Amino acid sequence: MPVICRDCGNLDEGGAPTCPACDGARLIRHPELLDLCIAHIDCDSFYASVEKRDNPSLADKPVIVGHPGGRGVVTTACYVARKFGPRSAMPMFKALELCPHAVVIPPDIAKYKRVSADIRALFAKASPLVEPLSLDEAYLDLSPGVRLVDRPPAVLLARLARAIHTRIGITVSVGLSYNKFLAKMASDFNKPHGFSVVGRAEAKSILAPLPVRALWGIGEATARRMAEQGITTIAQLQALPEAELVARWGKFGRQLAGLVHGIDPRRINPDRPAKSVSTETTFARDIRDATALAAALLPLAEGVARRLDRQNLAGRTVVLKLKTGDFQLITRHQRLTDPTRRADIIAQAGLALLDKLADGRAFRLIGIGITDLCPPDEADPPDLFGR
Ligand code: TTP
Ligand code: MG
């Protein structure tokens, strides 16, 4: 069975417990290792890893990136902090109750964007078909004829992960499989600093015990409704014939029939514009009232949705922008579970962000936008019950 050393990238066929080239113990054995070409790479606790890189005295400390103060939320917690419970999107006060000794660092998005660009430059050396999903994750197509270095994808990925670690200073987790859905799932299997492989022969059995929520396109609401019908695991969906899935869930049932058996026909699409769609308004008179600010936001969200529609785009991160009466610019980001092009979802995220900021201060401008743009076919995965 092929074996790859994650430390030196050596490819071997033997059964030795350590790498014959470098004696490293981080080996990956998998019967399909040389046949799998679709990868998903996701940085580990991205914002926190960048902050630790830039301040090595934080290396072993629990670090939370987010706006300090009672009304902020956690954007990410490092893996030291996660042991105590803090997670992305948790209110900061709660995270600090769980981990009072955490070091809280406000996010520096401009810096994370620079690091992201550095990482993408390394991806680009491996393949021209790289599809970024957000600042810290991307799919790579490493098929023969596509990849830029004629080595097995697993070797390229081991080298890439090592290069990101040594040159950029953060760790990533790699998923290698034969389609996007499974590669993305695999990259999450043994975070941080993971490398997981899902082959064709094992895909169904790996999927079987997982909760339905692990499937692409199934959100919290759908999982809850399925649970009401007694369906909680993928195995239960695998047992239903496609006709039954389609009868129950229409068009989405057909997609589901593929996914539960490890089939995902989506291609890797590198042509994503790296920009945002946004709109804003300056008030005739400064506004302090939270309800009035919220009312101003709704038509703006509609405007963003209209422009997404016109430009045939969707987006994944909602950005709220406010300018105070004394011209202080405030922006807040909310990453959505799935990309969207719907005004109501954009507005909802904007209102949640606004809720934390509208504290009686006077504002002269409000704006809303969406970034992490992507093609519309990935947006708003059908929720089975039409929500
Ligand atoms: P993720 O890749 O979801 O999370 P992560 O990199 O922090 O941790 P993991 O090791 O589990 O991958 O998101 C990447 C960055 O996006 C994250 O570092 C901070 C930001 N982010 C938010 O701002 N809000 C959120 O709700 C989430 C989930 C992430
Ligand atoms: Mg990540």
Side-chain angles (χ1 to χ4, degrees):
M1 185 186 308
V3 184
I4 275 176
C5 172
R6 290 176 57 189
D7 294 327
C8 73
N10 182 61
L11 176 61
D12 192 55
E13 282 284 334
T18 57
C19 171
C22 77
D23 205 30
R26 301 191 325 135
L27 302 179
I28 299 175
R29 288 168 216 280
H30 194 281
E32 297 177 42
L33 196 56
L34 303 181
D35 309 324
L36 302 168
C37 298
I38 303 298
H40 178 260
I41 302 184
D42 188 296
C43 302
D44 300 322
S45 61
F46 182 50
Y47 294 1
S49 301
V50 173
E51 296 302 339
K52 287 192 176 199
R53 173 195 79 166
D54 293 347
N55 182 354
S57 73
L58 296 175
D60 301 322
K61 302 221 166 76
V63 168
I64 291 177
V65 178
H67 289 281
R71 293 145 68 95
V73 291
V74 174
T75 63
T76 194
C78 75
Y79 280 81
V80 180
R82 284 185 204 189
K83 278 191 241 152
F84 301 92
R87 292 284 182 275
S88 293
M90 187 180 273
M92 189 61 82
F93 76 86
K94 187 164 174 220
L96 289 174
E97 270 170 22
L98 294 167
C99 186
H101 55 303
V103 179
V104 179
I105 301 176
D108 179 350
I109 305 289
K111 177 162 77 171
Y112 311 139
K113 283 188 177 164
R114 290 196 297 274
V115 177
S116 176
D118 294 343
I119 295 172
R120 283 182 198 172
L122 291 180
F123 290 165
K125 293 186 177 182
S127 171
L129 286 189
V130 176
E131 179 179 322
L133 289 177
S134 66
L135 285 184
D136 90 321
E137 58 179 317
Y139 292 112
L140 280 77
D141 187 338
L142 299 170
S143 306
V146 174
R147 58 190 183 230
L148 298 171
V149 183
D150 193 22
R151 299 296 312 273
V155 173
L156 298 182
L157 290 165
R159 287 188 189 164
L160 201 48
R162 201 166 48 129
I164 293 169
H165 193 194
T166 55
R167 293 195 211 164
I168 295 173
I170 65 168
T171 62
V172 299
S173 293
V174 176
L176 175 61
S177 190
Y178 59 94
N179 64 35
K180 286 169 119 177
F181 160 52
L182 294 171
K184 185 160 160 77
M185 200 166 78
S187 73
D188 209 36
F189 276 163
N190 61 349
K191 262 183 170 289
H193 215 167
F195 194 128
S196 300
V197 179
V198 174
R200 288 183 170 80
E202 66 198 342
K204 278 191 216 175
S205 57
I206 287 179
L207 287 168
L210 299 178
V212 293
R213 186 79 176 78
L215 292 167
W216 180 68
I218 295 199
E220 235 170 81
T222 304
R224 213 178 314 121
R225 297 280 174 73
M226 282 190 166
E228 283 164 14
Q229 299 186 16
I231 297 175
T232 53
T233 67
I234 296 177
Q236 289 171 288
L237 292 172
Q238 286 173 338
L240 298 175
E242 176 167 350
E244 175 64 25
L245 293 171
V246 172
R248 286 196 198 196
W249 296 302
K251 202 173 144 207
F252 182 62
R254 186 156 300 125
Q255 182 184 314
L256 210 50
L259 290 175
V260 298
H261 294 107
I263 298 164
D264 174 10
R266 287 174 300 154
R267 293 181 172 282
I268 290 186
N269 169 18
D271 300 322
R272 296 192 160 183
K275 48 177 190 155
S276 64
V277 171
S278 65
T279 171
E280 61 186 48
T281 182
T282 302
F283 306 127
R285 257 199 222 136
D286 292 359
I287 297 185
R288 294 176 186 275
D289 177 50
T291 315
L293 288 165
L297 198 58
L298 297 178
L300 296 178
E302 306 252 357
V304 171
R306 265 196 308 276
R307 287 179 53 197
L308 285 173
D309 195 42
R310 235 179 289 141
Q311 297 177 37
N312 205 28
L313 288 169
R316 185 163 185 177
T317 300
V318 173
V319 185
L320 178 73
K321 174 176 168 184
L322 287 162
K323 206 179 270 177
T324 60
D326 52 3
F327 289 88
Q328 190 201 341
L329 184 64
I330 302 172
T331 56
R332 290 289 185 273
H333 296 71
Q334 164 80 55
R335 183 142 146 225
L336 305 170
T337 320
D338 297 297
T340 191
R341 50 206 327 244
R342 280 171 44 178
D344 59 329
I345 291 178
I346 297 168
Q348 199 182 16
L351 290 173
L353 292 168
L354 177 64
D355 192 46
K356 300 185 193 99
L357 294 167
D359 54 4
R361 272 179 287 182
F363 290 106
R364 68 187 314 274
L365 172 149
I366 192 166
I368 190 161
I370 193 155
T371 65
D372 289 337
L373 300 180
C374 63
D377 55 348
E378 294 200 2
D380 305 309
D383 201 72
L384 303 187
F385 300 89
R387 247 195 47 105

